[in-house]
Amino acid sequence: MATDYLKRILTARVYDVARETELEPAPDLSARTGCRVLLKREDNQPVFSFKLRGAYNKMAQLTARELKRGVIAASAGNHAQGVALSAARLGCRAVIVMPVTTPTVKIDAVRAFGGEHVEIVLSGDSYSDAKAHADGLAARRGLVFVHPFDDPDVIAGQGTIGMEILRQHPGRIDAIFAAIGGGGLIAGIAAYVKAVRPEIRVIGVQSADSDAMARSIEAGRRVTLKDVGLFCDGTAVKQVGKETFRLCRELVDDIVRVDADAVCAAIKDVFQDTRSILEPAGALAVAGMKSWVATHRRRGDTLVAVTCGANMNFDRLRFVAERAEVGEAREAVFAVTIPEERGSFRRFCAVLAGHSITEFNYRISDSALAHLFVGVQIRDLADSARIAAALRREGFGVLDLGEDELSKQHLRHMIGGRSARAEHELLHRFEFPERPGALMRFLSAMSPNWNISLFHYRNEGADFGRILVGIQVPASEMKSFRRFLGTLGYPHRDESDNPAYRLFLRES
């Protein structure tokens, strides 16, 4: 029962190392969702995640003899950092087994927090793989295993987050959202909240490709996933714990599944409100909250989302920025087929005149049809449908690629190549002020007598946009073309002799 955990949570030893984190209003998220959104900022812990609470509470309960033997933990990163810092504080030895897929930033952080007290071992592709290796090491070396989620003391440590939320906001709360990997975080929060304020919904959020808890509850038993997605590596668990499953099955009101695009959009949302960057698993609660609000058409609710981690690998930011717009339904991605004839490109531009272009890829290849890859800034999903309908009314073929992972992840970067039809091609790079409509004005300024044989543009969020254009200009038009370059007023560079262009894009 939830009440069995009250004493454990109220007496948990977490504040020797952890801090009471802020319950912070999110004005932008609140305005956009129509609800009052509060963020429980566990990303502000000393180890940048909530895991420190459970790890230290467990280790602080060990006897002096057990601490002298040393501890071992298996973790995708955040629990490892909590164990490392706890080991340094308690003066004991700790072996940390981490999946080989763990971001470098987390491995380095474990070394930094644990120092000479920590030995790191990399094994397996997921938490479950690392756990199996850790079990073997624990048996051989006589180490005490510190479980990342399936332990009452660990669950109680995480439960102090629920205790803080209710103390910090004694007024109305309609729902609390928390990420689920193995289930320790939400089990602890639910155990406290349901014992004290059972009317508050406790809602879990899982990545759609790592949804072991949701599937287990649906099946009525713990299931083991064959594979787990690694984008939200902090929650990449193949099988949930026995105790966490019991608590979640009894106490959690609902579980929301979200995809990577929704998580990327949530990272951006939190950044806009806080100027902090969450790791993917750390943004799951926000992504799930947004999905739940939209699905259930909630207005005026008071909602809490636990931002549970900020150990972001910097190299992932490029992917996050690119996918956030699609995840927030702010960017539609289409493949558009237009006739390869004079005037069709202008008609295409006219349809999109009221929208900002986020990406444009084209390479001449066929004498009859041109295939364009285009990203368009939209207001909502209905706007995407309206654009597609308008393009079809012009007689253009349209394929919506918003849900096509191959196109979003790979094909958008591979459009082009050599073309036998690109003879006498001039290649130019242009820079222009990144303002609404600037790209369309650039396109409109070009003479219809100049055939565009290559076009690449991607909005990168900077003050200046960059375009790469291949143009086939008749010899008789070269004077006009040079005049166009001189009067355009944008910095430009002739890349026609660039060796990389000749190697990859130009016919020999």
Side-chain angles (χ1 to χ4, degrees), residues 1 59 83 141 155 219 238 275 301 362 384-385 438 440 503-504 507:
M1 295 293 294
M59 293 171 65
V83 172
R141 300 190 191 182
I155 293 169
K238 292 181 178 179
R275 294 302 184 267
D301 285 2
Y362 162 69
S384 175
M440 302 312 268
L503 185 63
F504 292 107
E507 285 287 308

Side-chain angles (χ1 to χ4, degrees), residues 413-425:
H413 305 294
M414 300 172 69
I415 294 169
R418 296 185 177 90
S419 173
R421 301 194 66 243
E423 66 269 16
H424 309 301
E425 181 178 67

Side-chain angles (χ1 to χ4, degrees), residues 126-254:
S126 69
Y127 162 75
S128 300
D129 299 332
K131 167 67 163 57
H133 188 71
D135 286 340
L137 288 178
R140 290 195 298 273
R141 300 190 191 182
L143 303 170
V144 178
F145 189 78
V146 181
H147 204 286
F149 49 82
D150 202 28
D151 182 288
D153 289 324
V154 172
I155 293 169
Q158 324 303 22
T160 58
I161 297 171
M163 179 179 67
E164 290 177 13
I165 290 172
L166 299 192
R167 184 170 63 239
Q168 291 169 320
H169 188 82
R172 171 186 166 187
I173 297 176
D174 293 282
I176 297 173
F177 294 82
I180 301 180
L185 172 62
I186 198 166
I189 292 173
Y192 187 87
V193 170
K194 290 299 184 180
V196 178
R197 302 228 354 230
E199 77 279 5
I200 297 176
R201 293 184 183 91
V202 178
I203 300 174
V205 186
Q206 292 201 281
S207 175
D209 54 10
S210 299
D211 59 345
M213 183 65 80
R215 293 195 190 194
S216 296
I217 290 176
E218 290 165 359
R221 58 178 176 80
R222 289 194 303 154
V223 301
T224 302
L225 302 182
K226 183 179 180 181
D227 298 296
V228 291
L230 298 178
F231 179 59
C232 295
D233 55 281
T235 54
V237 175
K238 292 181 178 179
Q239 185 182 54
V240 301
K242 291 181 181 178
E243 179 67 356
T244 56
F245 172 65
R246 181 185 74 82
L247 289 169
C248 288
R249 191 179 184 186
E250 177 185 342
L251 303 173
V252 172
D253 295 283
D254 195 7

Side-chain angles (χ1 to χ4, degrees), residues 381-437:
L381 289 175
D383 197 21
S384 175
R386 286 190 291 269
I387 293 170
L391 289 167
R392 290 188 180 105
R393 282 195 298 271
E394 283 292 324
F396 301 145
V398 180
L399 182 62
D400 189 337
L401 301 176
E403 299 298 323
D404 187 77
E405 191 67 21
L406 175 66
S407 298
K408 292 185 295 182
Q409 183 69 19
H410 299 290
L411 293 186
R412 73 193 312 166
H413 305 294
M414 300 172 69
I415 294 169
R418 296 185 177 90
S419 173
R421 301 194 66 243
E423 66 269 16
H424 309 301
E425 181 178 67
L426 303 175
L427 192 72
H428 282 259
R429 279 194 294 124
F430 295 89
E431 291 185 356
F432 62 95
E434 189 67 275
R435 300 189 183 100

